[in-house]
């Protein structure tokens, strides 16, 4: 069984990251143009080349010859947001079943063969996409491409395999969500925050839906969405473009094109009034989160730019300014929320929280949120924490941010783009994520240029514009007594993460 990961900035994931990691995760951009169905072609941006096979599958290649290793990722533009009510979690269950065999492989043989090649593999399911990845010795690339192409096109298993694996998925949901008060709160809060967007459903699925899934639900989901035109293969590392192109045509190019799935528009209706949720669950401390609807970076925000342009759509600039705002509040040790809420100022007299944070969703196929959250310190209430969180945003709306704060945030962003070059996997992950969002190959360079031009006045303006009650959902965890006899759940056999 493989692990389930949230692609993007889901609250349950980002809230568990460190401050710098939350900010840098929000800035995890990359490249990937959306192409039409014209003849295959390639282009270059910063050493990255991309082309499309005759059957519609996109291939992205970024050579990096510093070490004899390569990352191979298969991205499918389908996630939990493409599910329908009653079958939530089917994208994630399919991810599990992709390890259960093909016409040529028995259940579990895929990972065994990758390991025998000296590699390691895993997979993830998110709201926007599903991904499968391997890191391998570069001279084993052909073997892995053969295996992954076979799995993509020919995944098959008997019903008994599904019956066994669905129990693993249910146990995964119990461990990751139902045993965590904050995870349950986040799940319930999403269901209240979003009305018409499929983001209201949990990636892992509601338990009742998981229990009701059938083998054919999963097979039909695979048949509908796993077609070449809805997928991209990203390869980075000690490879050459011509080599990858030849292998891609040999193994992926022979897959039948299938029928591209038709997507219905699924926009979120405008929120026109404050929403709130009180959630009871066994926990040692209370918790509160404040979620505001905000704009995100759209593909056209980046594709319409020249590399060195400093103009962008107003909503795109606002999305970047909101990301900067989140970093000023919580992007590094000693940022505003930590100093004001956790330390309570110079004398500690204003301390209200044991923990407080902020993050802003910058990219994604669905609507995004700016979230403030906190854990009350002893003797303080969630209402006091919520008030203190909003006061910090109001302070920036009134006075703006300093040049030192702006420069620190921008320096962190540029540094993160440099550090990621150390990892061929990180490079492949970024290129694939950007393909999912329809961003250009040089999205990072374009975004850095934009970020560098964000001003204190713009940060001040978004702090005043987006934090209004009509766009707010407040979720409060009301802690209930813990069961002293409850024993920690033990991971199911085969659960690797």
């Amino acid at each position: 069984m493989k692990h389930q990961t949230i692609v993007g900035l889901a609250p349950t994931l980002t809230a568990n990251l460190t401050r710098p990691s939350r900010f840098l995760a929000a800035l995890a951009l990359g490249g990937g143009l959306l192409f039409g169905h014209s003849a295959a072609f390639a282009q270059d941006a910063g050493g990255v080349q991309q082309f499309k096979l005759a059957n519609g599958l996109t291939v992205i290649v970024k050579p990096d010859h510093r070490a004899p290793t390569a990352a191979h990722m298969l991205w499918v533009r389908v996630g939990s947001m493409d599910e329908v009510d009653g079958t939530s979690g089917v994208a994630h269950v399919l991810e599990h079943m992709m390890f259960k065999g093909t016409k040529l492989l028995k259940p579990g043989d895929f990972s065994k063969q990758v390991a025998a090649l000296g590699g390691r593999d895993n997979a993830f399911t998110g709201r926007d996409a599903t991904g499968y990845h391997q890191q391998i010795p570069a001279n084993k690339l052909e073997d892995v491409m053969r295996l992954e192409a076979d799995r993509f096109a020919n995944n098959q298993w008997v019903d008994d395999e599904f019956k066994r694996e669905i129990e693993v998925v249910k146990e995964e949901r119990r461990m990751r969500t139902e045993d965590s008060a904050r995870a349950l709160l986040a799940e319930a809060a999403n269901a209240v925050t979003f009305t018409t967007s499929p983001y209201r459903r949990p990636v892992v699925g509601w338990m009742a839906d998981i229990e009701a899934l059938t083998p054919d639900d999963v097979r039909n989901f695979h048949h509908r969405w796993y077609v070449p035109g809805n997928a991209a293969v990203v390869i980075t590392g000690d490879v050459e473009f011509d080599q990858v192109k030849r292998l891609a045509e040999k193994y992926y190019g022979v897959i039948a094109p299938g029928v591209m799935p038709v997507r219905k528009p699924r926009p979120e209706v405008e929120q026109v009034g404050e929403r709130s949720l009180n959630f009871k669950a066994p926990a040692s401390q209370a918790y509160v989160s404040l979620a505001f609807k905000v704009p995100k970076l759209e593909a056209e925000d980046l594709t319409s730019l020249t590399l060195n342009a400093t103009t962008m759509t107003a909503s795109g600039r606002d999305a970047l300014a909101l990301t900067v705002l989140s970093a000023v509040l919580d992007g590094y040790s000693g940022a505003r929320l930590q100093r004001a809420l956790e330390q309570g100022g110079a004398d500690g007299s204003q301390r209200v929280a044991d923990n407080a944070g902020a993050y802003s969703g910058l990219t994604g196929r669905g609507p995004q949120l700016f979230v403030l959250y906190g854990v009350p310190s002893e003797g303080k209430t969630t209402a006091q924490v919520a008030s203190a969180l909003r006061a910090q945003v109001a302070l920036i709306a009134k006075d703006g941010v300093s040049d030192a704060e702006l420069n620190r945030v921008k320096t962190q962003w540029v540094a993160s783009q440099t550090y990621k070059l150390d990892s061929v996997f990180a490079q492949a992950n970024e290129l694939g994520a950007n393909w999912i969002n329809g961003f250009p190959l040089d999205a990072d360079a374009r975004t850095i240029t934009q970020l560098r031009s964000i001003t204190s006045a713009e940060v001040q303006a978004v702090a005043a514009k987006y934090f209004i009650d009509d766009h707010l959902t407040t979720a409060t965890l009301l802690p209930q007594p813990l069961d002293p006899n409850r024993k920690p759940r033990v991971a199911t056999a085969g659960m690797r993460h």
Side-chain angles (χ1 to χ4, degrees), residues 34-113:
L34 285 177
F35 294 118
H37 297 284
S38 56
F41 66 95
Q43 70 177 66
D44 185 290
V48 186
Q49 297 189 63
Q50 176 172 311
F51 64 96
K52 184 172 280 192
L53 299 177
N55 60 12
L57 187 137
T58 296
V59 183
I60 302 170
V61 186
K62 185 176 184 182
D64 181 339
H65 299 294
R66 292 174 298 167
T69 184
H72 174 274
M73 298 190 75
L74 170 67
W75 288 77
V76 188
R77 191 179 275 125
V78 63
S80 64
M81 73 173 294
D82 301 293
E83 300 165 347
V84 297
D85 286 345
T87 59
S88 67
V90 65
H92 175 229
V93 172
L94 173 55
E95 176 218 311
H96 280 243
M97 299 311 298
M98 288 288 284
F99 292 86
K100 295 302 178 181
T102 71
K103 295 176 182 177
L104 304 175
L105 293 178
K106 296 178 182 178
D109 278 358
F110 183 94
S111 293
K112 291 177 183 175
Q113 292 206 20

Side-chain angles (χ1 to χ4, degrees), residues 72-315:
H72 174 274
M73 298 190 75
L74 170 67
W75 288 77
V76 188
R77 191 179 275 125
V78 63
S80 64
M81 73 173 294
D82 301 293
E83 300 165 347
V84 297
D85 286 345
T87 59
S88 67
V90 65
H92 175 229
V93 172
L94 173 55
E95 176 218 311
H96 280 243
M97 299 311 298
M98 288 288 284
F99 292 86
K100 295 302 178 181
T102 71
K103 295 176 182 177
L104 304 175
L105 293 178
K106 296 178 182 178
D109 278 358
F110 183 94
S111 293
K112 291 177 183 175
Q113 292 206 20
V114 172
L117 294 170
R120 55 190 180 189
D121 76 304
N122 216 322
F124 60 84
T125 306
R127 288 169 160 175
D128 301 333
T130 306
Y132 304 87
H133 52 89
Q134 303 87 34
Q135 187 156 356
I136 47 165
N139 61 1
K140 303 299 183 183
L141 176 64
E142 179 170 3
D143 298 281
V144 166
M145 292 180 75
R146 172 178 50 79
L147 287 167
E148 193 66 276
D150 174 47
R151 177 167 68 166
F152 176 77
N154 304 309
N155 174 237
Q156 65 176 37
W157 28 267
V158 298
D159 287 0
D160 283 348
E161 284 293 337
F162 171 83
K163 292 174 183 175
R164 283 189 284 271
E165 194 64 22
I166 203 71
E167 295 303 318
V168 175
V169 173
K170 288 159 64 178
E171 189 64 9
E172 180 177 347
R173 179 185 159 80
R174 295 186 188 101
M175 291 192 66
R176 294 180 184 275
T177 304
E178 297 181 4
D179 284 359
S180 168
R182 291 187 196 175
L184 284 171
L185 174 71
E187 184 177 82
N190 275 333
V192 172
T193 302
F194 298 114
T195 301
T196 52
S197 169
Y199 273 14
R200 71 183 186 279
R201 293 190 296 265
V203 173
V204 71
W206 301 112
M207 182 61 92
D209 287 352
I210 298 172
E211 290 175 336
L213 281 177
T214 69
D216 282 346
D217 287 332
V218 181
R219 293 183 181 116
N220 291 338
F221 197 82
H222 177 260
H223 178 73
R224 180 180 183 193
W225 294 104
Y226 280 50
V227 296
N230 199 40
V233 170
V234 184
I235 299 172
T236 58
D238 191 18
V239 300
E240 299 294 346
F241 175 75
D242 289 343
Q243 167 203 11
V244 171
K245 188 171 187 295
R246 175 179 57 80
L247 295 175
E249 289 171 341
K250 179 178 180 180
Y251 293 108
Y252 287 100
V254 297
I255 299 172
V259 178
M260 272 292 286
V262 177
R263 300 177 193 272
K264 300 268 189 187
R266 306 174 86 174
E268 173 68 8
V269 294
E270 182 181 2
Q271 184 173 340
V272 292
E274 185 174 355
R275 302 171 185 172
S276 64
L277 167 72
N278 289 329
F279 191 86
K280 295 180 178 179
S284 57
Q285 286 184 290
Y287 177 87
V288 63
S289 69
L290 312 173
F292 298 85
K293 303 275 177 56
V294 293
K296 62 178 179 177
L297 270 188
E298 302 284 357
E300 54 267 30
D301 289 326
L302 297 175
T303 55
S304 63
L305 295 171
T306 59
L307 179 58
N308 295 316
T310 55
T311 59
M312 182 184 265
T313 61
S315 64

Side-chain angles (χ1 to χ4, degrees), residues 216-497:
D216 282 346
D217 287 332
V218 181
R219 293 183 181 116
N220 291 338
F221 197 82
H222 177 260
H223 178 73
R224 180 180 183 193
W225 294 104
Y226 280 50
V227 296
N230 199 40
V233 170
V234 184
I235 299 172
T236 58
D238 191 18
V239 300
E240 299 294 346
F241 175 75
D242 289 343
Q243 167 203 11
V244 171
K245 188 171 187 295
R246 175 179 57 80
L247 295 175
E249 289 171 341
K250 179 178 180 180
Y251 293 108
Y252 287 100
V254 297
I255 299 172
V259 178
M260 272 292 286
V262 177
R263 300 177 193 272
K264 300 268 189 187
R266 306 174 86 174
E268 173 68 8
V269 294
E270 182 181 2
Q271 184 173 340
V272 292
E274 185 174 355
R275 302 171 185 172
S276 64
L277 167 72
N278 289 329
F279 191 86
K280 295 180 178 179
S284 57
Q285 286 184 290
Y287 177 87
V288 63
S289 69
L290 312 173
F292 298 85
K293 303 275 177 56
V294 293
K296 62 178 179 177
L297 270 188
E298 302 284 357
E300 54 267 30
D301 289 326
L302 297 175
T303 55
S304 63
L305 295 171
T306 59
L307 179 58
N308 295 316
T310 55
T311 59
M312 182 184 265
T313 61
S315 64
R317 293 284 297 187
D318 282 359
L320 287 172
L322 285 160
T323 302
V324 172
L325 171 63
S326 73
V328 169
L329 290 170
D330 186 34
Y332 50 89
S333 295
R336 289 196 178 209
L337 294 185
Q338 187 180 43
R339 283 186 280 120
L341 275 70
E342 298 179 26
Q343 298 172 2
D347 60 359
S349 61
Q350 302 301 314
R351 185 174 187 275
V352 297
D354 285 344
N355 178 255
Y359 56 90
S360 188
L362 181 61
T363 65
R365 290 172 54 205
Q368 298 299 308
L369 302 172
F370 192 110
V371 179
L372 302 163
Y373 64 88
V375 177
S377 56
E378 186 174 357
K380 302 298 181 182
T381 67
T382 53
Q384 288 173 302
V385 172
S387 178
L389 288 165
R390 298 193 71 175
Q392 290 301 310
V393 176
L395 187 63
I396 293 176
K398 174 177 173 289
D399 298 333
V401 298
S402 68
D403 290 342
E405 288 173 305
L406 266 185
N407 291 334
R408 182 164 189 167
V409 167
K410 293 175 182 180
T411 299
Q412 276 189 275
W413 192 341
V414 174
S416 74
Q417 300 306 309
T418 302
Y419 295 152
K420 75 185 177 194
L421 298 177
D422 279 344
S423 165
V424 293
F425 176 77
Q427 295 175 60
N429 186 61
E430 181 179 78
L431 289 166
N434 289 336
W435 177 80
I436 292 297
N437 286 308
F439 292 155
L441 290 172
D442 59 353
D444 297 326
R446 296 177 190 224
T447 307
I448 286 174
T449 300
Q450 293 296 312
L451 175 88
R452 282 176 163 155
S453 66
I454 294 291
T455 66
S456 173
E458 288 179 294
V459 178
Q460 184 176 6
V462 296
K465 180 178 180 180
Y466 290 100
F467 296 85
I468 60 176
D469 289 347
D470 279 355
H471 295 167
L472 166 64
T473 300
T474 302
T476 305
L477 174 63
L478 306 176
Q480 304 299 298
L482 298 167
D483 180 358
N485 299 315
R486 182 179 174 280
K487 296 181 179 178
R489 199 179 297 276
V490 178
T492 302
M495 187 178 290
R496 290 169 50 182
H497 300 279

